[in-house]
Amino acid sequence: MSEDALAVRLRSIFTDELDEQIQELNDHLLALERMPGDSDRLRAVFRVMHTLKGASRAAGLSLVEEACHAVESELSRVRDGGSALGGEQIAMLFAGVDALGTTRDSLRANKPQPHAALTALLQPVPGRGSALPPVRPHQIPETEPPPPPAPPTPPSRP
């Protein structure tokens, strides 16, 4: 298979996969809209974005890869900070999913990729790596008990 044929095939596979991933993202985001502190849903969105990032890299779609990476980084920040997504962030995530859908449609029609919506996710915000709005200070309820405290260390002997 020629390199061009392989690239076409990878983009076709990516486009087909994107249908399922967009539906899954929308389902998770709708749930997060109702319960912004749902850490399982947040992790699920992160996994889908991570999958799309790798698939877009394989398909040679660098802008999609960069946009997925920006969203993934923001989700990591939220997850690691123990915060819930705010309404503005969820709206931006929905806009990102819409941009992925528009990209999918363009790929299917063999048209140029629509860059504006994906690029919006990449615009730097002072002090942050993506255009996603700042985290709201809500706490995510713990789903697992905290780890037990470390045993005390015995005093050192002279």
Side-chain angles (χ1 to χ4, degrees):
M1 181 179 292
S2 74
E3 194 170 312
D4 287 340
L6 178 60
V8 168
R9 179 72 180 129
L10 288 173
R11 283 186 182 204
S12 175
I13 292 168
F14 175 77
T15 304
D16 291 342
E17 250 185 62
L18 200 49
D19 282 332
E20 293 174 30
Q21 302 295 356
I22 287 172
Q23 182 61 52
E24 187 174 344
L25 283 169
N26 277 321
D27 292 345
H28 291 308
L29 290 175
L30 287 169
L32 278 168
E33 201 170 36
R34 289 187 302 276
M35 293 190 59
D38 186 338
S39 60
D40 290 334
R41 292 287 184 164
L42 182 66
R43 282 191 295 272
V45 171
F46 179 88
R47 280 191 304 273
V48 172
M49 294 309 293
H50 184 75
T51 299
L52 287 174
K53 180 179 74 171
S56 60
R57 180 183 310 125
L61 301 168
S62 60
L63 182 58
V64 176
E65 177 187 356
E66 290 175 40
C68 290
H69 179 72
V71 172
E72 185 183 46
S73 295
E74 180 65 15
L75 293 171
S76 290
R77 194 176 77 74
V78 171
R79 179 194 63 205
D80 296 345
S83 299
L85 289 171
E88 291 176 20
Q89 288 173 308
I90 290 173
M92 180 63 81
L93 289 169
F94 274 120
V97 172
D98 289 345
L100 289 170
T102 302
T103 299
R104 175 206 53 213
D105 296 343
S106 295
L107 288 169
R108 280 207 174 116
N110 290 320
K111 293 182 179 176
Q113 291 180 52
H115 296 316
L118 290 173
T119 303
L121 295 172
L122 303 173
Q123 299 305 311
V125 172
R128 297 170 28 88
S130 73
L132 293 169
V135 175
R136 299 270 188 234
H138 300 121
Q139 288 296 339
I140 295 177
E142 290 187 24
T143 56
E144 300 174 15
T153 55
S156 60
R157 294 188 179 164

